[in-house]
Amino acid sequence: GNPNSLHRLGTEAKDVIDSSTKQIANILHVKPSEIIYTSGASESNNTAIKGIALKYANRGKHIISTELEHSSIIGPLNYLMTLGYEIDFVKLKDNGEIDLDELKKLIRDDTILVSISSVNSEIGIRQPIAKISEIVKKHPKCFFHSDMTQSVGKEDIDLSLVDLASFSAQKFY
């Protein structure tokens, strides 16, 4: 039944979805209203990046990311560049972690988004999400997005450190 329908089967379907959403919210320590269902992490990344960029374009058009990101991050960033957004890629240290000092220098008054994956999907580099969060939170007009697909369900994650998190349930069942 269509959960948006008013017939019995539709309302029962909506009840199941709402109940499941509450369970997921409890597990993730977030509000049910903060959960957005998509077809997967790639769609979630696109939604998060384009959503913030287009909604808050009046605040600025500067975004920071890394060259280690999944194509579902790089693709929307490339698209946004065609719309006049400026993308900076924070340098990486020899161990693959981002250079936190450079991140501090790159954030400007017109920076609206920092998007950095928690764990790289190909080589497994873990980024210091808590330290990145500390830096970004000092800039109230800037949002912090993290693709957490490779870490959710595998390590403890604190979603309060980010404004937006993307992941796919198929990675952790």
Side-chain angles (χ1 to χ4, degrees):
N2 181 342
N4 295 316
S5 297
L6 297 178
H7 53 70
R8 185 179 59 79
L9 192 55
T11 58
E12 288 173 1
K14 178 154 179 34
D15 289 344
V16 170
I17 291 170
D18 290 346
S19 175
S20 298
T21 300
K22 286 178 187 172
Q23 287 179 323
I24 293 166
N26 285 336
I27 290 166
L28 297 175
H29 306 291
V30 298
K31 298 174 190 166
S33 62
E34 295 176 312
I35 296 173
I36 299 172
Y37 294 106
T38 64
S39 64
S42 292
E43 184 181 347
S44 295
N45 287 331
N46 271 268
T47 300
I49 292 167
K50 291 177 186 173
I52 290 294
L54 298 175
K55 179 169 175 75
Y56 295 101
N58 62 330
R59 292 185 183 179
K61 289 189 167 187
H62 181 242
I63 298 171
I64 299 170
S65 191
T66 77
E67 292 180 342
L68 275 181
E69 301 306 310
H70 188 269
S71 61
S72 64
I73 301 284
I74 299 298
L77 294 178
N78 286 335
Y79 168 73
L80 291 170
M81 282 194 287
T82 69
L83 300 180
Y85 287 79
E86 184 181 349
I87 313 299
D88 277 323
F89 294 101
V90 65
K91 291 179 184 170
L92 303 172
K93 299 187 294 188
D94 290 341
N95 67 0
E97 285 185 11
I98 68 159
D99 183 328
L100 295 169
D101 290 328
E102 189 191 10
L103 176 62
K104 291 175 190 173
K105 292 175 187 170
L106 287 175
I107 297 180
R108 316 181 311 215
D109 286 339
D110 65 337
T111 305
I112 56 170
L113 179 65
V114 172
S115 181
I116 297 173
S117 296
S118 58
V119 177
N120 178 272
S121 64
E122 293 190 26
I123 56 177
I125 301 289
R126 292 180 175 179
Q127 296 299 341
I129 297 301
K131 291 177 183 175
I132 297 168
S133 178
E134 270 181 46
I135 294 167
V136 175
K137 286 186 181 198
K138 291 178 182 173
H139 303 273
K141 294 191 305 184
C142 186
F143 293 90
F144 180 26
H145 165 256
S146 184
D147 178 347
M148 296 187 161
T149 303
Q150 300 303 324
S151 57
V152 71
K154 299 173 189 94
E155 62 183 13
D156 287 334
I157 58 169
D158 181 356
L159 293 176
S160 71
L161 297 173
V162 297
D163 299 298
L164 303 103
S166 302
F167 49 85
S168 176
Q170 57 111 358
K171 294 288 186 173
F172 65 99
Y173 309 106

